[in-house]
Amino acid sequence: MIKIKLGIIDNDKIYLNRISKYFSTNYKNQVEIYSFTDESTVAEAVRQNKINVLVASQDSEIRTDRLADFCMFAYFVDSKMIDTYNDHHAICKFQRADLIYKQLLGLYSEKLADKVKYKNSGTRKSEISLFVSGFDGAGATTSAAAYAKYLAAKGRKTLFLNLKQFGSTENIFEASGKGSFTDAIFAIKSKKVNMTLKLESIVKQSEDGVYFYDNCQNALDYTEIKLDELEILLDEMSSSFGYHNIVVVSDFYFSDSLIYLMEQAKDIVIVSDNRKSSQIQLERRTSAIKSLDNRHNLNISEKVRLIFNKTINASIFRTDFPVIGIQPELEIYDDKEIVKTIAFSGIFDKMNSMRKQESGR
């Protein structure tokens, strides 16, 4: 793990002591703190101690041209609305210290670029579950979010990854912090930042423990991810951050990227309902999956499970794939409450039970 050498310049000794103590206590393996009140000694201290990131209060007068090239510089400012100050990065000092750490990590990633990467923490990688819709609006996103919430409640470190072009995450999971999935896409495409650090700096964690990325700033940004970049991105998330599970929700349009996700997933959950029009679409999609298996000698069909959403009885619909749950339509209009209700409805107990039986064969 990379350890950031952080220098802080602030005349407010109380604040300086508090933040230094917090980082020393909570990030002792990630951050090494150097604090200053005398601006004149900073440039030399940066060189001698090889300080990676230097942050100064906005009333400081720092000759940044005298700082070593390996040191990134930013100002501590009083408002979250300030993005830059004196043409340098700005970090609001009056926010949670863990959010300050995230921004420092993002800042450091710009200097580190791809010169350094984390080693994989172990041989075990994340279990990937893929959710797709049998038809548009079936509820794949809320079902996937519910499964992520279900796993997090069981103590599993879980990442919810929304790859739908017009998907919405913010109305389900919320957390403070900067950055969106657009930054993740930029990180993998650019050589100007270290991908691993950047991904870590922008991931958020909801109050119920689910890790997630905010939606892209523009829906078209999702179309920028190429297959090889998706492979790198998913491998990095799977191997470097200790996630037990990654729950992915994706558009159901056959492409090389979707086929790759299906191959990597341990479970493929299709969400549909029992209306006649929905059944027709579902039959066409499941038929395509079977054809895909036959043409390319894959075993995707074996991983498919079905959830019938907004449905009372699905017994009239015959399918070759196991149905893990039937979710009646809820008289709830808040997305968070819908996700919570589905998460603890018992639907996913059957999916996990099936997984254990299959692994025991």
Side-chain angles (χ1 to χ4, degrees):
M1 178 172 287
I2 296 170
K3 192 167 189 176
I4 300 174
K5 291 187 175 183
L6 171 65
I8 302 178
I9 308 169
D10 202 312
N11 291 322
D12 185 344
K13 293 184 178 180
I14 295 176
Y15 178 82
L16 194 60
N17 288 335
R18 283 178 178 174
I19 194 169
S20 297
K21 183 177 180 180
Y22 180 88
F23 279 135
S24 298
T25 302
N26 296 279
Y27 294 98
K28 61 181 180 180
N29 295 321
Q30 293 96 338
V31 179
E32 186 176 325
I33 291 283
Y34 297 83
S35 57
F36 306 93
T37 54
D38 185 358
E39 300 164 12
S40 64
T41 64
V42 170
E44 184 59 29
V46 165
R47 288 186 175 83
Q48 288 184 355
N49 297 289
K50 299 188 182 302
I51 293 174
N52 310 119
V53 179
L54 180 66
V55 185
S57 58
Q58 62 187 94
D59 58 352
S60 303
E61 296 182 4
I62 303 297
R63 288 287 303 274
T64 56
D65 58 318
R66 294 182 179 178
L67 296 177
D69 291 339
F70 54 75
C71 182
M72 290 294 289
F73 178 78
Y75 279 105
F76 264 148
V77 295
D78 298 333
S79 172
K80 294 180 182 179
M81 301 304 294
I82 302 174
D83 189 51
T84 61
Y85 183 79
N86 282 349
D87 295 324
H88 290 283
H89 291 280
I91 298 174
C92 179
K93 65 190 295 186
F94 300 117
Q95 61 179 324
R96 295 203 325 257
D98 62 316
L99 299 180
I100 292 176
Y101 170 72
K102 289 276 190 179
Q103 288 184 256
L104 291 171
L105 202 60
L107 189 65
Y108 185 43
S109 73
E110 295 181 21
K111 175 60 68 176
L112 197 60
D114 281 338
K115 296 177 182 177
V116 180
K117 294 182 68 176
Y118 287 136
K119 292 181 178 179
N120 291 352
S121 56
T123 56
R124 185 177 71 172
K125 294 191 175 184
S126 311
E127 292 183 357
I128 298 171
S129 297
L130 174 65
F131 282 69
V132 290
S133 295
F135 64 94
D136 291 340
T141 300
T142 51
S143 297
Y147 186 49
K149 189 180 182 75
Y150 166 87
L151 291 169
K154 291 186 172 295
R156 307 277 294 180
K157 185 176 181 180
T158 303
L159 174 69
F160 173 73
L161 187 59
N162 192 339
L163 296 181
K164 296 187 73 173
Q165 185 172 1
F166 294 100
S168 181
T169 300
E170 288 91 337
N171 60 329
I172 298 173
F173 298 120
E174 291 182 328
S176 300
K178 291 188 175 183
S180 70
F181 198 64
T182 294
D183 299 293
I185 296 172
F186 171 79
I188 194 171
K189 287 180 173 292
S190 174
K191 299 300 181 182
K192 296 180 180 179
V193 297
N194 178 271
M195 181 181 64
T196 308
L197 291 184
K198 190 64 177 180
L199 290 174
E200 186 178 352
S201 73
I202 60 176
V203 72
K204 299 180 179 181
Q205 186 178 18
S206 68
E207 60 182 10
D208 43 15
V210 177
Y211 291 85
F212 68 98
Y213 292 95
D214 279 344
N215 296 329
C216 284
Q217 297 167 6
N218 188 304
L220 288 176
D221 292 345
Y222 287 102
T223 66
E224 296 293 324
I225 309 176
K226 309 305 178 187
L227 175 59
D228 60 330
E229 295 167 345
L230 178 61
E231 292 176 4
I232 294 170
L233 186 65
L234 205 60
D235 184 66
E236 191 70 19
M237 290 176 173
S238 174
S239 60
S240 295
F241 299 102
Y243 295 123
H244 297 110
N245 295 80
I246 298 177
V247 181
V248 182
V249 59
S250 171
D251 293 308
F252 199 163
Y253 303 113
F254 280 102
S255 64
D256 289 341
S257 292
L258 180 61
I259 294 170
Y260 169 74
L261 289 172
M262 287 180 164
E263 288 183 284
Q264 296 303 308
K266 191 158 188 175
D267 304 295
I268 301 169
V269 181
I270 304 177
V271 183
S272 187
D273 65 25
N274 67 342
R275 292 180 302 165
K276 185 63 178 178
S277 59
S278 305
Q279 291 177 20
I280 293 171
Q281 290 195 48
L282 180 59
E283 286 174 340
R284 294 180 66 186
R285 296 185 187 203
T286 54
S287 176
I289 289 175
K290 293 176 182 178
S291 297
L292 189 67
D293 279 352
N294 292 330
R295 291 181 185 181
H296 299 281
N297 195 27
L298 303 175
N299 63 342
I300 291 173
S301 297
E302 297 178 6
K303 300 185 284 187
V304 173
R305 288 89 173 85
L306 300 179
I307 289 178
F308 284 97
N309 193 24
K310 304 175 187 177
T311 301
I312 297 176
N313 187 352
S315 60
I316 60 174
F317 180 50
R318 294 184 178 181
T319 173
D320 295 332
F321 300 106
V323 178
I324 62 170
I326 300 172
Q327 177 61 52
E329 186 162 8
L330 302 172
E331 295 184 4
I332 303 173
Y333 301 98
D334 180 78
D335 289 329
K336 293 180 182 177
E337 287 300 314
I338 293 173
V339 167
K340 182 178 179 181
T341 301
I342 296 174
F344 302 112
S345 66
I347 281 179
F348 302 115
D349 291 333
K350 184 174 181 179
M351 187 164 81
N352 279 354
S353 176
M354 290 173 59
R355 176 184 286 184
K356 289 178 181 178
Q357 290 176 4
E358 290 170 355
S359 63
R361 291 174 185 172

